[in-house]
Amino acid sequence: MENSQGKVGPVMKINLGCGDRYAEGWHNVDFAGSPHRKDEEVDLRTNALPWAAGSVELAYAGHVLEHLFIDEVLVLLAALHECMAPSGELMVVGPDVIVAQGMATAGTLDVTMDSLTNGGHRWHGDEHRWHCTTWAVEALLRAAGWHEVTRVGINAVPDIWPVADRRPQWQCAVSARP
């Protein structure tokens, strides 16, 4: 259904940058060059998101923000803020390179630091553009106008969110409300 500006709505649950993590029951979006299954191709680097104001109840950004440049993250978060329902919520999950570095030093890291700092390079777009941390995600959300920005332990993320794997303790999780 399109509104008067030609934007699609209502979209209730959006999985942003779904990559190889298609979530059943969610509206899965990724960029046009992504080789993976998606419901819609959306350029997340633009402020022209295709959803009407107030139409998104839940938005999940799982391991996607670090694949954009910082200025693109700010544009996305501000544009997404406008699409959110007043009672909506955003959940951001990503690597926390500071936690990972501590785990690497302790010998408990289950992946390579290179993959966390630079990305997997498994397909075009699978490279990291900045070193994601919990603190940085919180700061970016606040700078983009989000409120009620809250750290959530990866194991405490509610089951409603399509988190691929809750075991890696090097992941950060931050929720925010408009």
Short mmCIF file of all heavy atoms in Angstrom, two decimals, residues 60-63 91-96 99 103 134 150-159 161-175:
data_model
loop_
_atom_site.label_atom_id
_atom_site.label_comp_id
_atom_site.label_asym_id
_atom_site.label_seq_id
_atom_site.Cartn_x
_atom_site.Cartn_y
_atom_site.Cartn_z
N TYR A 60 15.30 -4.14 12.92
CA TYR A 60 16.45 -4.87 13.39
C TYR A 60 17.63 -4.59 12.47
O TYR A 60 17.52 -4.74 11.25
CB TYR A 60 16.16 -6.37 13.43
CG TYR A 60 17.35 -7.21 13.85
CD1 TYR A 60 17.82 -7.13 15.16
CD2 TYR A 60 17.99 -8.04 12.96
CE1 TYR A 60 18.92 -7.88 15.56
CE2 TYR A 60 19.09 -8.80 13.36
CZ TYR A 60 19.55 -8.71 14.65
OH TYR A 60 20.63 -9.44 15.05
N ALA A 61 18.74 -4.17 13.05
CA ALA A 61 19.97 -3.91 12.30
C ALA A 61 21.04 -4.84 12.86
O ALA A 61 21.79 -4.46 13.76
CB ALA A 61 20.38 -2.45 12.42
N GLY A 62 21.07 -6.06 12.37
CA GLY A 62 22.01 -7.05 12.86
C GLY A 62 23.24 -7.14 11.99
O GLY A 62 23.16 -7.54 10.83
N HIS A 63 24.36 -6.70 12.53
CA HIS A 63 25.65 -6.73 11.83
C HIS A 63 25.55 -6.06 10.46
O HIS A 63 25.97 -6.61 9.44
CB HIS A 63 26.16 -8.18 11.72
CG HIS A 63 26.57 -8.73 13.04
ND1 HIS A 63 27.83 -8.56 13.55
CD2 HIS A 63 25.87 -9.40 13.98
CE1 HIS A 63 27.90 -9.13 14.74
NE2 HIS A 63 26.72 -9.64 15.04
N MET A 91 16.59 -2.38 17.29
CA MET A 91 17.61 -3.18 17.96
C MET A 91 18.81 -3.26 17.02
O MET A 91 18.68 -3.70 15.88
CB MET A 91 17.11 -4.58 18.28
CG MET A 91 18.13 -5.48 18.97
SD MET A 91 18.63 -4.92 20.63
CE MET A 91 17.11 -5.20 21.54
N VAL A 92 19.95 -2.81 17.52
CA VAL A 92 21.21 -2.87 16.76
C VAL A 92 22.10 -3.92 17.41
O VAL A 92 22.32 -3.89 18.62
CB VAL A 92 21.94 -1.51 16.76
CG1 VAL A 92 23.27 -1.61 16.04
CG2 VAL A 92 21.06 -0.43 16.15
N VAL A 93 22.60 -4.85 16.60
CA VAL A 93 23.56 -5.85 17.05
C VAL A 93 24.76 -5.77 16.13
O VAL A 93 24.60 -5.63 14.91
CB VAL A 93 22.96 -7.28 17.04
CG1 VAL A 93 24.02 -8.32 17.34
CG2 VAL A 93 21.82 -7.38 18.05
N GLY A 94 25.94 -5.83 16.69
CA GLY A 94 27.16 -5.78 15.89
C GLY A 94 28.35 -6.21 16.70
O GLY A 94 28.23 -6.50 17.90
N PRO A 95 29.51 -6.23 16.09
CA PRO A 95 30.71 -6.59 16.84
C PRO A 95 31.13 -5.44 17.75
O PRO A 95 30.95 -4.28 17.41
CB PRO A 95 31.75 -6.83 15.76
CG PRO A 95 31.32 -5.95 14.63
CD PRO A 95 29.82 -5.94 14.68
N ASP A 96 31.63 -5.76 18.91
CA ASP A 96 32.25 -4.74 19.77
C ASP A 96 33.75 -5.06 19.75
O ASP A 96 34.21 -5.98 20.43
CB ASP A 96 31.69 -4.80 21.18
CG ASP A 96 32.20 -3.64 22.04
OD1 ASP A 96 33.41 -3.31 21.94
OD2 ASP A 96 31.40 -3.08 22.80
N VAL A 99 35.62 -5.21 23.19
CA VAL A 99 35.39 -6.46 23.92
C VAL A 99 36.15 -7.60 23.24
O VAL A 99 36.79 -8.42 23.90
CB VAL A 99 33.88 -6.78 24.00
CG1 VAL A 99 33.63 -8.17 24.55
CG2 VAL A 99 33.16 -5.73 24.84
N MET A 103 39.00 -10.19 24.67
CA MET A 103 38.87 -11.63 24.58
C MET A 103 40.06 -12.25 23.84
O MET A 103 40.54 -13.32 24.22
CB MET A 103 37.56 -12.00 23.87
CG MET A 103 36.32 -11.65 24.68
SD MET A 103 34.78 -11.99 23.78
CE MET A 103 34.77 -13.78 23.83
N THR A 134 30.09 -0.80 21.35
CA THR A 134 28.83 -0.44 22.00
C THR A 134 28.73 1.07 22.17
O THR A 134 27.70 1.67 21.86
CB THR A 134 28.73 -1.14 23.38
OG1 THR A 134 28.89 -2.55 23.18
CG2 THR A 134 27.41 -0.86 24.04
N THR A 150 19.60 2.15 25.00
CA THR A 150 19.89 1.24 26.11
C THR A 150 20.79 0.09 25.68
O THR A 150 20.48 -0.60 24.71
CB THR A 150 18.57 0.64 26.66
OG1 THR A 150 17.66 1.70 26.95
CG2 THR A 150 18.81 -0.19 27.90
N ARG A 151 21.86 -0.13 26.43
CA ARG A 151 22.70 -1.31 26.21
C ARG A 151 21.94 -2.55 26.65
O ARG A 151 21.29 -2.56 27.69
CB ARG A 151 23.98 -1.25 27.04
CG ARG A 151 24.95 -0.23 26.58
CD ARG A 151 26.20 -0.26 27.43
NE ARG A 151 27.06 0.85 27.02
CZ ARG A 151 28.34 0.88 27.21
NH1 ARG A 151 28.95 -0.10 27.86
NH2 ARG A 151 29.06 1.90 26.78
N VAL A 152 22.06 -3.60 25.85
CA VAL A 152 21.40 -4.86 26.16
C VAL A 152 22.47 -5.95 25.99
O VAL A 152 23.10 -6.03 24.95
CB VAL A 152 20.24 -5.14 25.19
CG1 VAL A 152 19.54 -6.44 25.54
CG2 VAL A 152 19.26 -3.98 25.15
N GLY A 153 22.68 -6.75 26.99
CA GLY A 153 23.61 -7.87 26.81
C GLY A 153 23.10 -8.78 25.71
O GLY A 153 21.90 -9.00 25.60
N ILE A 154 23.99 -9.31 24.89
CA ILE A 154 23.57 -10.14 23.76
C ILE A 154 22.69 -11.30 24.21
O ILE A 154 21.73 -11.66 23.53
CB ILE A 154 24.77 -10.62 22.91
CG1 ILE A 154 24.30 -11.23 21.59
CG2 ILE A 154 25.66 -11.56 23.69
CD1 ILE A 154 23.62 -10.28 20.66
N ASN A 155 22.95 -11.85 25.37
CA ASN A 155 22.12 -12.95 25.87
C ASN A 155 20.77 -12.48 26.39
O ASN A 155 19.87 -13.28 26.60
CB ASN A 155 22.85 -13.72 26.98
CG ASN A 155 24.07 -14.45 26.45
OD1 ASN A 155 24.05 -14.95 25.34
ND2 ASN A 155 25.13 -14.48 27.22
N ALA A 156 20.63 -11.18 26.62
CA ALA A 156 19.38 -10.62 27.15
C ALA A 156 18.49 -10.03 26.05
O ALA A 156 17.42 -9.52 26.35
CB ALA A 156 19.69 -9.56 28.20
N VAL A 157 18.93 -10.09 24.80
CA VAL A 157 18.09 -9.58 23.71
C VAL A 157 16.85 -10.46 23.63
O VAL A 157 16.97 -11.69 23.51
CB VAL A 157 18.86 -9.60 22.36
CG1 VAL A 157 17.94 -9.21 21.21
CG2 VAL A 157 20.06 -8.67 22.42
N PRO A 158 15.66 -9.88 23.70
CA PRO A 158 14.43 -10.69 23.66
C PRO A 158 14.34 -11.54 22.39
O PRO A 158 14.84 -11.16 21.32
CB PRO A 158 13.31 -9.63 23.70
CG PRO A 158 13.94 -8.46 24.39
CD PRO A 158 15.37 -8.45 23.92
N ASP A 159 13.69 -12.67 22.51
CA ASP A 159 13.59 -13.64 21.41
C ASP A 159 12.87 -13.10 20.18
O ASP A 159 13.01 -13.68 19.10
CB ASP A 159 12.89 -14.91 21.88
CG ASP A 159 13.75 -15.73 22.82
OD1 ASP A 159 14.99 -15.56 22.81
OD2 ASP A 159 13.19 -16.54 23.58
N TRP A 161 13.59 -10.65 18.45
CA TRP A 161 14.58 -10.14 17.50
C TRP A 161 15.29 -11.29 16.81
O TRP A 161 15.69 -12.26 17.46
CB TRP A 161 15.58 -9.24 18.22
CG TRP A 161 14.93 -8.07 18.87
CD1 TRP A 161 14.66 -7.92 20.20
CD2 TRP A 161 14.43 -6.90 18.22
NE1 TRP A 161 14.02 -6.73 20.41
CE2 TRP A 161 13.86 -6.08 19.21
CE3 TRP A 161 14.40 -6.47 16.89
CZ2 TRP A 161 13.28 -4.84 18.92
CZ3 TRP A 161 13.83 -5.24 16.61
CH2 TRP A 161 13.27 -4.45 17.60
N PRO A 162 15.50 -11.19 15.48
CA PRO A 162 16.10 -12.31 14.72
C PRO A 162 17.63 -12.35 14.81
O PRO A 162 18.34 -12.38 13.81
CB PRO A 162 15.63 -12.04 13.29
CG PRO A 162 15.52 -10.56 13.21
CD PRO A 162 15.04 -10.12 14.58
N VAL A 163 18.15 -12.40 16.03
CA VAL A 163 19.60 -12.48 16.24
C VAL A 163 20.06 -13.85 15.74
O VAL A 163 19.52 -14.87 16.14
CB VAL A 163 19.96 -12.30 17.73
CG1 VAL A 163 21.45 -12.46 17.96
CG2 VAL A 163 19.47 -10.94 18.22
N ALA A 164 21.07 -13.87 14.87
CA ALA A 164 21.54 -15.12 14.27
C ALA A 164 22.18 -16.04 15.30
O ALA A 164 21.94 -17.24 15.30
CB ALA A 164 22.52 -14.82 13.15
N ASP A 165 23.00 -15.48 16.18
CA ASP A 165 23.72 -16.30 17.15
C ASP A 165 23.96 -15.46 18.40
O ASP A 165 24.65 -14.44 18.34
CB ASP A 165 25.05 -16.78 16.56
CG ASP A 165 25.75 -17.81 17.41
OD1 ASP A 165 25.36 -18.01 18.59
OD2 ASP A 165 26.72 -18.42 16.91
N ARG A 166 23.43 -15.88 19.51
CA ARG A 166 23.54 -15.13 20.76
C ARG A 166 24.75 -15.56 21.60
O ARG A 166 24.98 -15.04 22.67
CB ARG A 166 22.26 -15.28 21.58
CG ARG A 166 21.06 -14.68 20.89
CD ARG A 166 19.76 -15.13 21.53
NE ARG A 166 18.63 -14.83 20.67
CZ ARG A 166 17.95 -13.70 20.70
NH1 ARG A 166 18.25 -12.77 21.56
NH2 ARG A 166 16.95 -13.50 19.87
N ARG A 167 25.51 -16.52 21.11
CA ARG A 167 26.65 -17.02 21.89
C ARG A 167 27.88 -16.12 21.86
O ARG A 167 28.51 -15.96 22.90
CB ARG A 167 27.03 -18.43 21.42
CG ARG A 167 25.98 -19.47 21.79
CD ARG A 167 26.31 -20.78 21.16
NE ARG A 167 26.26 -20.60 19.70
CZ ARG A 167 26.78 -21.43 18.83
NH1 ARG A 167 27.41 -22.50 19.22
NH2 ARG A 167 26.67 -21.22 17.54
N PRO A 168 28.27 -15.59 20.71
CA PRO A 168 29.51 -14.80 20.73
C PRO A 168 29.42 -13.59 21.65
O PRO A 168 28.63 -12.68 21.44
CB PRO A 168 29.69 -14.37 19.27
CG PRO A 168 28.91 -15.38 18.48
CD PRO A 168 27.74 -15.74 19.35
N GLN A 169 30.20 -13.60 22.69
CA GLN A 169 30.16 -12.54 23.69
C GLN A 169 30.84 -11.26 23.22
O GLN A 169 30.81 -10.26 23.93
CB GLN A 169 30.76 -13.04 25.01
CG GLN A 169 29.93 -14.16 25.64
CD GLN A 169 28.49 -13.75 25.86
OE1 GLN A 169 28.21 -12.76 26.54
NE2 GLN A 169 27.55 -14.49 25.31
N TRP A 170 31.43 -11.27 22.03
CA TRP A 170 32.04 -10.06 21.49
C TRP A 170 31.02 -9.18 20.78
O TRP A 170 31.34 -8.12 20.28
CB TRP A 170 33.19 -10.41 20.53
CG TRP A 170 32.90 -11.51 19.55
CD1 TRP A 170 33.30 -12.81 19.66
CD2 TRP A 170 32.15 -11.42 18.34
NE1 TRP A 170 32.84 -13.54 18.58
CE2 TRP A 170 32.13 -12.70 17.75
CE3 TRP A 170 31.49 -10.39 17.69
CZ2 TRP A 170 31.49 -12.98 16.55
CZ3 TRP A 170 30.85 -10.66 16.49
CH2 TRP A 170 30.85 -11.94 15.93
N GLN A 171 29.75 -9.58 20.79
CA GLN A 171 28.71 -8.79 20.14
C GLN A 171 28.14 -7.73 21.10
O GLN A 171 27.95 -8.00 22.27
CB GLN A 171 27.56 -9.69 19.70
CG GLN A 171 27.93 -10.68 18.62
CD GLN A 171 26.75 -11.52 18.24
OE1 GLN A 171 26.11 -11.25 17.23
NE2 GLN A 171 26.43 -12.52 19.05
N CYS A 172 27.85 -6.57 20.54
CA CYS A 172 27.13 -5.57 21.32
C CYS A 172 25.68 -5.58 20.86
O CYS A 172 25.37 -5.97 19.74
CB CYS A 172 27.75 -4.18 21.13
SG CYS A 172 27.61 -3.46 19.48
N ALA A 173 24.80 -5.16 21.74
CA ALA A 173 23.38 -5.02 21.41
C ALA A 173 22.89 -3.74 22.09
O ALA A 173 23.11 -3.54 23.27
CB ALA A 173 22.59 -6.24 21.88
N VAL A 174 22.24 -2.90 21.29
CA VAL A 174 21.75 -1.62 21.78
C VAL A 174 20.35 -1.42 21.23
O VAL A 174 20.12 -1.56 20.02
CB VAL A 174 22.66 -0.45 21.33
CG1 VAL A 174 22.12 0.88 21.84
CG2 VAL A 174 24.10 -0.67 21.78
N SER A 175 19.40 -1.11 22.11
CA SER A 175 18.03 -0.81 21.66
C SER A 175 17.80 0.69 21.76
O SER A 175 18.46 1.39 22.53
CB SER A 175 17.00 -1.57 22.50
OG SER A 175 16.93 -1.04 23.80
#
